[in-house]
Amino acid sequence: MTPRRTKIYFDGGCRPNPGPMEIAVVAGGVAQVERDIGTGSSMDAEWLALIAALRLARARGLADFVLLGDAATVVAQANGAARARGSAAEHLAAYRALAGAGPPSRVRHIGRHQNLAGIALARR
């Protein structure tokens, strides 16, 4: 039996935008939510969530995983399909440094209604 690829969902946001940021990462049905992680934009929060998802994959020693998020711009920037500027470029550099430390990461865009991390964040 072939092991299944681990799905790790990520989402970030802030209210108001910019404002206090929060992130969520869901893997194996378990949500990790961090509230009030600093002040920034919704794009910053999405990036921090993606980086947290990759850190989780590395901490678990996963070799076959996919990072799933609903922020199309962040997914495109992480995959090299869109240019990152300003703080996004700094987040991308941090992501690439972490990504270079292990198996290649796959980042895919999913719809907001499919994002388990977004659902976890919405539950207040």
Side-chain angles (χ1 to χ4, degrees):
M1 181 175 192
T2 305
R4 296 177 62 181
R5 177 175 294 150
T6 301
K7 295 178 181 179
I8 302 175
Y9 299 85
F10 67 92
D11 197 18
C14 61
R15 293 177 204 147
N17 187 18
M21 296 182 294
E22 58 187 9
I23 63 171
V25 176
V26 176
V30 177
Q32 297 178 358
V33 178
E34 294 182 48
R35 307 238 187 242
D36 198 19
I37 61 168
T39 301
S41 70
S42 59
M43 179 77 79
D44 292 322
E46 292 285 359
W47 266 109
L48 293 175
L50 173 57
I51 292 167
L54 182 55
R55 280 195 182 114
L56 177 68
R58 296 292 187 243
R60 291 188 177 182
L62 299 175
D64 191 14
F65 60 93
V66 59
L67 307 174
L68 304 166
D70 58 30
T73 301
V74 171
V75 170
Q77 290 171 341
N79 287 321
R83 188 171 183 186
R85 296 187 174 118
S87 64
E90 294 171 23
H91 295 306
L92 177 60
Y95 170 80
R96 286 184 175 162
L98 182 59
S105 57
R106 297 171 188 85
V107 185
R108 281 192 25 224
H109 179 259
I110 58 172
R112 183 173 303 258
H113 64 282
Q114 297 172 302
N115 192 345
L116 299 180
I119 294 167
L121 273 183
R123 293 182 180 163
R124 292 194 105 167

